[in-house]
Amino acid sequence: MKQTTEVSGGAAIKRSRLSLRRKQGLIGWAFLLIAAGLIVMMNFYPMVRGFMLSLQTGVGARMEYSGFVNYSRMIGDPRFRQTLITTFTYLLVQVPIMLLMGLALASMLNNKGLKGRGFFRTAIFLPCAVGLVAYSLVFRQMFSFDGLINTILVSSGILETGHNWLGTAWSAQLVIILGLLWRWTGFNMIFYLAGIQNIDSSIYDAARIDGANVFQQFWKITIPLLRPIILLTAIMSTNGTLQLFDESFNLTGGGPGISSMSMSHYIFNTAFTGNPTIGYASAMSFMVFLLVAILAFIQLKVGDRR
């Protein structure tokens, strides 16, 4: 009788445990379903809807299915080709410089013998906290014909007369690149600094004993051990540059002409100014999405050796 009671008691405890695990599983699935629903609603549905719009032409209620006409239009659109080239110019020039500067600054500011490390770290990171519109307007004023930059260059004898920075194609692009470097280098530096601080200092001590100089330590130890973080920042920087909008819109206005206009700026103009064509703008947006996905895939294949 006692054994029977013990068996029935054990079975009850087992059923109670199973019931508790089932309840926990149901609660977990409930939270996951809420998160999954939000992701579908906020991410995947707009993607699908945007692709559907890219297959339509017309305006408002008169939009109708037209196949891949909008994608064919992109091939023959000189403005799209120009903004594509301009955006990739920003990508190929600005992103490598920014990542290298972030690595170098993180390595220097990790030196325990450097006085004022906290001040320099904060000063370099602070531009990330500045609003995109605010800093674009400040840079626009600095690089205007009678702005601070021309004043300094003329007074120091480097230039005889002021240069029209925002009125010349190459210099307008240069101003945007300088603005991107000023704002985002500190952001990447923080990632690298956190990664360097997680590297065991004994590795550097052993390298110094073996006769490795500072450059050799940086190239042979720091960069290989930071590879995952470098890959992450490269993907984020590529993604951000391909979707560049604020600097093009607020700093140069895309000018002169469309020489400094980014793809996102051109998409905005196509969708919301003049004679808006939502279908064509959606097709260009989907093309940007594909470019981001392809470049991220390539970077993962090249950079991740696991």
Side-chain angles (χ1 to χ4, degrees):
M1 184 68 179
K2 183 177 180 181
Q3 186 177 1
T4 304
T5 304
E6 289 178 353
V7 171
S8 61
I13 293 172
K14 187 175 182 179
R15 284 196 300 271
S16 176
R17 287 178 179 175
L18 289 174
S19 177
L20 179 60
R21 288 179 182 176
R22 187 175 181 182
K23 288 179 180 178
Q24 291 175 340
L26 290 174
I27 292 172
W29 277 111
F31 279 108
L32 284 174
L33 287 174
I34 293 172
L38 289 173
I39 291 172
V40 169
M41 183 175 63
M42 303 301 292
N43 290 328
F44 292 104
Y45 174 74
M47 291 179 192
V48 175
R49 181 60 179 160
F51 180 68
M52 292 172 63
L53 283 173
S54 73
L55 301 178
Q56 300 177 20
T57 55
V59 179
R62 292 178 295 175
M63 293 188 70
E64 56 184 16
Y65 176 78
S66 58
F68 291 90
V69 170
N70 289 319
Y71 293 92
S72 300
R73 179 181 171 183
M74 274 191 291
I75 298 174
D77 186 355
R79 285 177 170 262
F80 177 75
R81 289 200 300 268
Q82 177 61 47
T83 56
L84 179 66
I85 292 170
T86 301
T87 303
F88 268 87
T89 300
Y90 297 146
L91 175 67
L92 296 175
V93 174
Q94 175 257 336
V95 171
I97 296 174
M98 179 177 61
L99 297 183
L100 289 174
M101 287 178 61
L103 274 168
L105 289 169
S107 183
M108 289 188 291
L109 294 177
N110 190 54
N111 184 2
K112 296 180 180 179
L114 179 66
K115 295 182 179 179
R117 286 185 304 161
F119 169 78
F120 290 115
R121 291 175 182 176
T122 304
I124 295 172
F125 179 75
L126 269 180
C128 302
V130 179
L132 288 167
V133 175
Y135 106 83
S136 296
L137 294 177
V138 170
F139 264 71
R140 185 180 182 88
Q141 180 61 37
M142 287 175 57
F143 284 93
S144 62
F145 191 78
D146 57 349
L148 177 64
I149 300 301
N150 273 337
T151 301
I152 294 174
L153 294 175
V154 172
S155 61
S156 60
I158 298 175
L159 293 179
E160 293 183 2
T161 58
H163 177 70
N164 189 5
W165 294 96
L166 302 178
T168 308
W170 70 268
S171 57
Q173 293 180 5
L174 177 63
V175 171
I176 288 181
I177 290 172
L178 291 175
L180 291 171
L181 290 173
W182 177 81
R183 192 175 195 278
W184 295 112
T185 298
F187 179 80
N188 291 298
M189 181 200 71
I190 293 299
F191 280 90
Y192 299 143
L193 188 60
I196 291 173
Q197 290 175 346
N198 284 324
I199 299 175
D200 193 346
S201 60
S202 62
I203 300 176
Y204 291 101
D205 294 335
R208 279 192 291 270
I209 293 173
D210 290 338
N213 56 37
V214 175
F215 177 78
Q216 289 172 327
Q217 293 175 39
F218 178 76
W219 188 255
K220 297 292 185 180
I221 299 175
T222 304
I223 290 182
L225 293 178
L226 288 181
R227 184 180 297 276
I229 300 178
I230 294 172
L231 179 62
L232 171 66
T233 54
I235 292 174
M236 290 194 302
S237 300
T238 300
N239 186 1
T241 305
L242 288 177
Q243 299 179 70
L244 179 68
F245 174 78
D246 293 89
E247 289 78 2
S248 174
F249 186 81
N250 296 304
L251 182 50
T252 65
I258 61 167
S259 60
S260 64
M261 183 179 290
S262 65
M263 287 190 293
S264 295
H265 188 178
Y266 181 49
I267 292 169
F268 174 85
N269 288 348
T270 304
F272 301 111
T273 62
N275 296 318
T277 51
I278 299 297
Y280 185 45
S282 298
M284 290 190 289
S285 299
F286 202 77
M287 181 59 64
V288 173
F289 166 74
L290 289 177
L291 288 173
V292 170
I294 291 170
L295 289 177
F297 177 78
I298 292 172
Q299 288 171 326
L300 282 171
K301 283 296 184 181
V302 173
D304 193 352
R305 297 182 178 178
R306 291 175 295 179

